Amino acid sequence: MSTEPSHQDETPDFDDLTRDIAEVPAVEVITTVAVHLMSAAAVKCGLAEGGEKDKDLDEARKLITALAGLVTAGAPEISNFHAAPLRDGLRSLQLAFREASIVPDAPGTGPGEKFTGPVYS
């Protein structure tokens, strides 16, 4: 019997991973992706522990716009129960972005506003 460690245990079994993702409801996938986008956008807006050091509004704009598209398109599919907190988080990020910007975007032109409409404080 060999005492060498088996690399077989370290390699993911893609058939198992495919079966695992097949069991995850769409609402869970959509909300998980949205939360990841929110977290990344918050960091890029300078709202995380790193603050100004991690702030990158160009990156934040992209993340917020992607989040707005996902939330807007996904909301009818995941019910208001799941969509409402995502909309609230999105709006908070849009307002944080506006506040962090030296030169604010005109209403309706901020990140994600082509999907959500203008965001006012």
Side-chain angles (χ1 to χ4, degrees):
M1 187 175 347
S2 173
T3 58
E4 291 182 33
S6 170
H7 293 292
Q8 199 171 32
D9 294 337
E10 298 172 19
T11 307
D13 181 350
F14 292 106
D15 289 338
D16 286 343
L17 292 175
T18 301
R19 274 192 298 270
D20 288 346
I21 198 70
E23 295 170 8
V24 178
V27 66
E28 190 173 328
V29 174
I30 293 167
T31 56
T32 299
V33 171
V35 168
H36 284 292
L37 287 168
M38 277 187 206
S39 298
V43 169
K44 297 299 182 178
C45 281
L47 302 175
E49 257 184 58
E52 289 294 317
K53 162 177 94 61
D54 295 324
K55 189 174 176 179
D56 183 338
L57 294 181
D58 184 51
E59 290 290 300
R61 178 183 296 279
K62 294 170 188 169
L63 293 163
I64 294 168
T65 298
L67 175 63
L70 176 64
V71 170
T72 301
E77 306 300 326
I78 63 173
S79 82
N80 196 51
F81 176 78
H82 296 287
L86 297 178
R87 282 191 204 102
D88 291 345
L90 170 60
R91 184 175 187 281
S92 294
L93 285 167
Q94 288 172 311
L95 291 171
F97 182 93
R98 187 172 295 281
E99 186 175 306
S101 296
I102 295 170
V103 179
D105 296 314
T109 64
E113 290 182 5
K114 66 182 173 185
F115 300 112
T116 64
V119 175
Y120 301 101
S121 52

